[in-house]
Amino acid sequence: MDRAELGSRALFPDLAAGAYLNHGGISPPSLPVRNAVTRVMEDYARLGTGAIHHRIEERERLRGKLAGLIGAEQGSDIGFVQNTTRGATDVALCMPWRAGERVLCMTGDFPANVTPWQCAAELFELDLTFLPQPTASTLDAWLETLARELQRPTRLLAVSTVMFQSGLRLPTDRIGALCAAAGTELFVDAIQACGVVPVDVRRDGIDYLTCGGHKWMMGLEGAGFLYVAPKRVSRLEPRVAGWLGHEDALAFLFLGPGHLRHDRPLLRRASLVEGGAQSSVGYAALEAALDLLQGAGIEKIHAHVNRYIDALEPELVARGFASERSADPAARSGIFSVTPPRGIDVVALFRAIDPARVALTIPDGRLRFAPHWPNHTDEIKTVLAAVDGALAAVRK
Ligand SMILES: Cc1ncc(COP(=O)(O)O)c(C=O)c1O
């Protein structure tokens, strides 16, 4: 059986860049992920519709594994959604809103966790308020601001567990406690956390969690998941339900006449949001990727990537870059971001970095390094050579 050996790229034989540091963007698929996709394709190639029974079994198994990853009680708390946005949209559309209710979201958050709330605010006449975005140095003050804001009746708080620009990991345990005390529901976008940062929805009192599969989970685009806390699910309005959202939805296809009815009760679990046919290859990829992550252990992966960042950070600071990393290990993720030395334009610098040496990106004007379990500190000399070459080219 394949396993993830921390610091080894053996399962990524085709990866072009000397150092692939863009797991906060899209992760390359490992060999087990590629093999899982091929197996599904071959199954459909042989059996056509007959292959769907295997997929149904696999998907139920995957629900249980995802529940384990995030500390959920059971697989039925997990629904499959295409991406992070879709999970937010489904909750935003299905909440039993009353006009005038207040929703808090965050300035500078990734738009996937803002646009759905803006749309819901328009549709349901909600009061959408923006909190400022915390940084490593303002996090305590930000928590005080949040506590003050929650003194006003607030239906829902929507935040990302890890800031996509700075990599700051929010203390979802403290946020969850504030929300619980205020009677506010907590929605989190966890795509920059799941797979690299331990997540525990029950410990933290998270009501809803959405996550795409293509970043730290190391699956594919188009196959993510949504968690809905059991106490919330029965109150959701089934506004996005589709044909697979009913009890015994498949009965009319396989059990003969008399089963095609349009009055079957709607599901009262997270899979209510699934609608119709799902990405079979996407979920096969997600399961294979998750098996590798779980085999290595999320705590160990978090420690591994932070050892890598520990080695890289002082080198960049010595070159005049400003680090946005928190001094508090509990507030760190897999993302390490810097802003360039004075007088250096981040876009020009990024364009001058040799992509054959290092793959990274510049979201919201930061140079973002995002290593995962296959990265090894031996690569850091290649990263620094690429950065030095780019600095010299831009300064010329
Ligand atoms: C915090 C955050 N949320 C969401 C996304 C992406 O959303 P989706 O999965 O809907 O494409 C990203 C990055 O692409 C992100 O950094």
Side-chain angles (χ1 to χ4, degrees):
M1 171 135 152
D2 292 302
R3 47 180 213 99
E5 193 188 320
L6 300 182
S8 167
R9 281 171 50 146
L11 297 180
F12 302 84
D14 299 314
L15 200 49
Y20 189 85
L21 294 173
N22 210 355
H23 298 93
I26 298 176
S27 281
S30 60
L31 286 178
V33 166
R34 291 160 69 176
N35 291 338
V37 167
T38 304
R39 268 198 305 278
V40 168
M41 295 302 284
E42 287 172 355
D43 204 23
Y44 276 104
R46 274 187 306 117
L47 301 175
T49 306
I52 191 66
H53 301 288
H54 301 148
R55 307 291 88 72
I56 291 170
E57 266 171 42
E58 286 162 7
R59 246 169 260 168
E60 292 315 307
R61 191 171 68 211
L62 176 58
R63 276 186 222 282
K65 291 183 183 180
L66 289 167
L69 176 78
I70 62 167
E73 199 176 321
Q74 57 215 345
S76 57
D77 300 341
I78 304 291
F80 292 124
V81 290
Q82 285 155 274
N83 47 44
T84 321
T85 307
R86 187 71 232 183
T89 300
D90 289 339
V91 174
L93 288 179
C94 294
M95 287 278 294
W97 303 111
R98 283 190 304 270
E101 281 184 320
R102 189 163 185 252
V103 174
L104 285 178
C105 62
M106 225 163 47
T107 306
D109 204 348
F110 198 89
N113 198 21
V114 176
T115 313
W117 309 113
Q118 290 172 314
C119 292
E122 190 71 27
L123 195 58
F124 300 104
E125 298 174 37
L126 307 175
D127 165 13
L128 184 65
T129 303
F130 282 80
L131 288 169
Q133 190 179 34
T135 63
S137 58
T138 63
L139 186 54
D140 286 336
W142 183 85
L143 286 166
E144 283 166 24
T145 305
L146 174 63
R148 259 195 319 278
E149 286 292 337
L150 290 176
Q151 282 169 7
R152 280 181 57 194
T154 302
R155 182 67 194 271
L156 182 127
L157 169 69
V159 289
S160 290
T161 42
V162 170
M163 304 293 100
F164 76 98
Q165 309 95 323
S166 63
L168 180 71
R169 173 186 177 191
L170 294 190
T172 40
D173 51 349
R174 292 170 70 186
I175 295 171
L178 289 174
C179 285
T184 298
E185 293 175 48
L186 176 57
F187 180 98
V188 301
D189 167 345
I191 195 172
Q192 294 292 3
C194 288
V196 66
V197 166
V199 172
D200 191 330
V201 288
R202 275 187 294 166
R203 184 201 62 197
D204 293 355
I206 292 168
D207 294 294
Y208 312 94
L209 175 149
T210 185
C211 181
H214 58 283
K215 297 186 189 289
W216 302 93
M217 293 297 296
M218 303 187 93
L220 300 182
E221 295 155 283
F225 63 96
L226 171 72
Y227 162 80
V228 183
K231 69 175 177 201
R232 302 294 182 200
V233 77
S234 59
R235 291 170 38 251
L236 290 181
E237 301 280 356
R239 296 186 181 111
V240 299
W243 74 276
L244 286 175
H246 295 274
E247 299 286 354
D248 297 322
L250 295 172
F252 75 97
L253 292 176
F254 301 114
L255 300 184
H259 293 280
L260 179 57
R261 298 195 342 230
H262 301 301
D263 61 350
R264 287 186 185 281
L266 287 164
L267 295 171
R268 285 296 166 194
R269 53 179 185 267
S271 58
L272 170 71
V273 301
E274 289 171 13
Q278 301 280 321
S279 169
S280 291
V281 292
Y283 289 109
L286 189 61
E287 185 178 17
L290 178 56
D291 286 346
L292 290 175
L293 295 169
Q294 292 288 53
I298 304 299
E299 297 272 3
K300 286 195 176 131
I301 292 174
H302 185 254
H304 170 78
V305 301
N306 273 281
R307 277 194 297 276
Y308 187 107
I309 297 169
D310 286 344
L312 180 59
E313 184 179 28
E315 295 287 349
L316 291 176
V317 170
R319 285 162 172 78
F321 288 88
S323 168
E324 294 198 44
R325 195 175 183 215
S326 173
D328 175 6
R332 292 173 172 173
S333 64
I335 289 176
F336 166 51
S337 290
V338 294
T339 43
R342 226 185 167 71
I344 303 280
D345 175 60
V346 71
V347 178
L349 183 69
F350 172 66
R351 289 190 180 146
I353 289 177
D354 178 2
R357 283 174 156 163
V358 56
L360 41 62
T361 188
I362 48 164
D364 204 15
R366 275 73 157 193
L367 201 59
R368 187 177 76 181
F369 301 84
H372 207 336
W373 64 258
N375 293 94
H376 193 288
T377 45
D378 283 354
E379 296 164 5
I380 289 178
K381 50 185 180 310
T382 309
V383 177
L384 294 173
V387 170
D388 288 340
L391 281 172
V394 171
R395 283 187 171 127
K396 223 191 262 167

